[in-house]
Amino acid sequence: MPIDIKSPREIEAMRAAGAMAAETLLLVGEKIRAGMTTEEINHLVHEDTVRRGAKPAPLNYRGFPKSVCTSVNHVVCHGIPDKKTVLRDGDIVNVDVTTIHQGFHGDTSATFYIGVPSPEGRKVTEVARQALEIGIAQVKEGGRIGDIGAAIQEYVEAQGCSVVRDFVGHGIGRKFHEDPQVKHYGRRGTGERMKAGMTFTIEPMVNVGHWEVVVDPKDKWTVTTADGSLSAQFEHTILVTKTGPEVLTKRLKPLRMSENVVAVFA
Ligand code: MF3
Ligand code: CO
Ligand code: CO
C-alpha cells in the first residue's frame, strides 16, 4: 500500500486524538505507584478514555483483551494487564496508550519507574527515551524512513544496549497500523521518502541484553526478552511537515516518571 498523506482536516483529527492519548498517559504518570496492579492501570486508562468521548484502541484489537498494554521489566511490549501483576518498588513499566477519536488514532507510550529503579533499569529507560528523541530529530521532508532507524541503532548500540527487531513503528491514521513500517535499526538512505502529511509512530524498544524476543505461546501477546534482560520503550505519533516533525502526542506538562523523576522530553 502507498503511504497515506493526510488532508488538513484529517491532520486536525489526528492532533485531537494524539492530544487525548498524551493526556491519558500524563494521568497514568500522576497515579502510578507501588502496590497498584496492572489491571488498575487498565481501569484508569479505560475510564479516562471513555470520559473524553473516545475509545481505547487496544480493546478487542485482533483479540487483545484489555484497553492498554502494560509491560513490566523484561516484558518488551503487549503486556496484558491483570489483577495478579502488582507493581513493586524497583520495577520499570511501559504503559502504551492508543486512543481513537473521531475515527483517528493517537498512539503513545512511556516507561515509568516504580519507586527507585536499579541502575540497569534506569539506564535502559534513559537510553530508550533518548533513542526516541534521536529518531524524531531525523524526521524531515525528503529524508528517508531508514534514517530514523539508523540513528536510533547507532545511539542505542553505542550505549551497550540492543534494539528490538521484531516490532517496529508504523503508519497510523484511521487504522491503528498502516504503512510504512518504521524500523528502529537499519541503514541510512534506505526506505521510503518522508513527505509532508505522513503520520507514523516511532517507538524504539531497547533491551539491556540481546535483541531477541519471545512471544508467550499461551496468551499469544506478551513479548519478553529471550535472555530475561530488562527492556524499555517510549513512543510518539509524528506528523511530517514542511518544516520538520510535529509530535502529535506531545505532552503539555512534563511526564511524571516516578516520585522523583520528571521527563524533560519524550
Ligand atoms: N500500541 C501498540 C503499538 O504501539 C500496539 C498494541 S496492539 C494491542 O503499536 F493489541 F496489543 F493493543
Ligand atoms: Co504504535
Ligand atoms: Co503504542
Side-chain angles (χ1 to χ4, degrees):
M1 284 278 281
I3 302 173
D4 189 39
I5 302 293
K6 270 68 181 179
S7 70
R9 284 188 55 177
E10 290 174 323
I11 288 169
E12 267 317 305
M14 290 291 292
R15 285 195 179 106
M20 282 189 187
E23 284 180 32
T24 300
L25 193 62
L26 276 175
L27 177 69
V28 170
E30 281 160 22
K31 301 281 180 191
I32 198 165
R33 46 205 12 93
M36 274 176 103
T37 64
T38 51
E39 176 60 38
E40 288 177 87
I41 304 291
N42 181 69
H43 186 257
L44 180 67
V45 168
H46 186 91
E47 291 303 310
D48 189 62
T49 305
V50 170
R51 183 182 69 72
R52 294 172 191 281
K55 278 198 332 196
L59 188 59
N60 301 322
Y61 178 77
R62 299 180 181 223
F64 192 79
K66 296 287 176 173
S67 298
V68 68
C69 298
T70 52
S71 303
V72 183
N73 293 335
H74 68 296
V75 179
V76 173
C77 63
H78 303 169
I80 304 173
D82 64 24
K83 292 197 170 104
K84 57 179 211 303
T85 306
V86 180
L87 300 175
R88 290 178 210 289
D89 197 0
D91 285 346
I92 59 171
V93 54
N94 175 275
V95 179
D96 191 340
V97 173
T98 313
T99 304
I100 311 176
H101 177 252
Q102 292 179 350
F104 287 86
H105 290 73
D107 191 5
T108 185
S109 84
T111 298
F112 298 94
Y113 300 138
I114 307 303
V116 181
S118 64
E120 261 189 348
R122 190 183 294 272
K123 169 83 191 277
V124 72
T125 302
E126 201 43 53
V127 171
R129 201 164 71 75
Q130 186 69 20
L132 173 56
E133 189 166 353
I134 285 166
I136 292 170
Q138 294 296 315
V139 172
K140 65 160 191 259
E141 185 162 63
R144 301 291 194 104
I145 294 280
D147 299 346
I148 298 169
I152 289 173
Q153 182 179 14
E154 275 166 28
Y155 167 72
V156 169
E157 292 180 356
Q159 298 301 311
C161 296
S162 68
V163 175
V164 170
R165 309 280 203 266
D166 299 42
F167 296 89
V168 296
H170 49 92
I172 181 166
R174 285 193 183 278
K175 287 196 285 185
F176 196 161
H177 297 102
E178 341 180 314
D179 283 338
Q181 288 201 359
V182 182
K183 295 186 178 78
H184 305 109
Y185 61 94
R187 294 208 339 266
R188 268 171 222 283
T190 64
E192 297 90 340
R193 275 193 198 286
M194 292 180 259
K195 276 184 64 178
M198 288 181 180
T199 50
F200 53 77
T201 73
I202 305 176
E203 49 181 301
M205 283 145 269
V206 176
N207 297 350
V208 167
H210 196 255
W211 55 264
E212 276 188 343
V213 300
V214 178
V215 180
D216 186 313
K218 285 213 193 78
D219 70 25
K220 308 272 207 303
W221 279 107
T222 309
V223 178
T224 56
T225 55
D227 61 9
S229 70
L230 292 175
S231 186
Q233 179 182 25
F234 286 79
E235 174 176 26
H236 272 310
T237 299
I238 310 294
L239 166 71
V240 183
T241 80
K242 298 267 178 214
T243 53
E246 178 179 329
V247 180
L248 297 177
T249 44
K250 191 175 153 86
R251 293 179 279 272
L252 298 180
K253 295 193 284 190
L255 182 74
R256 178 189 176 280
M257 291 175 71
S258 74
E259 209 64 64
N260 329 310
V261 183
V262 162
V264 182
F265 180 91

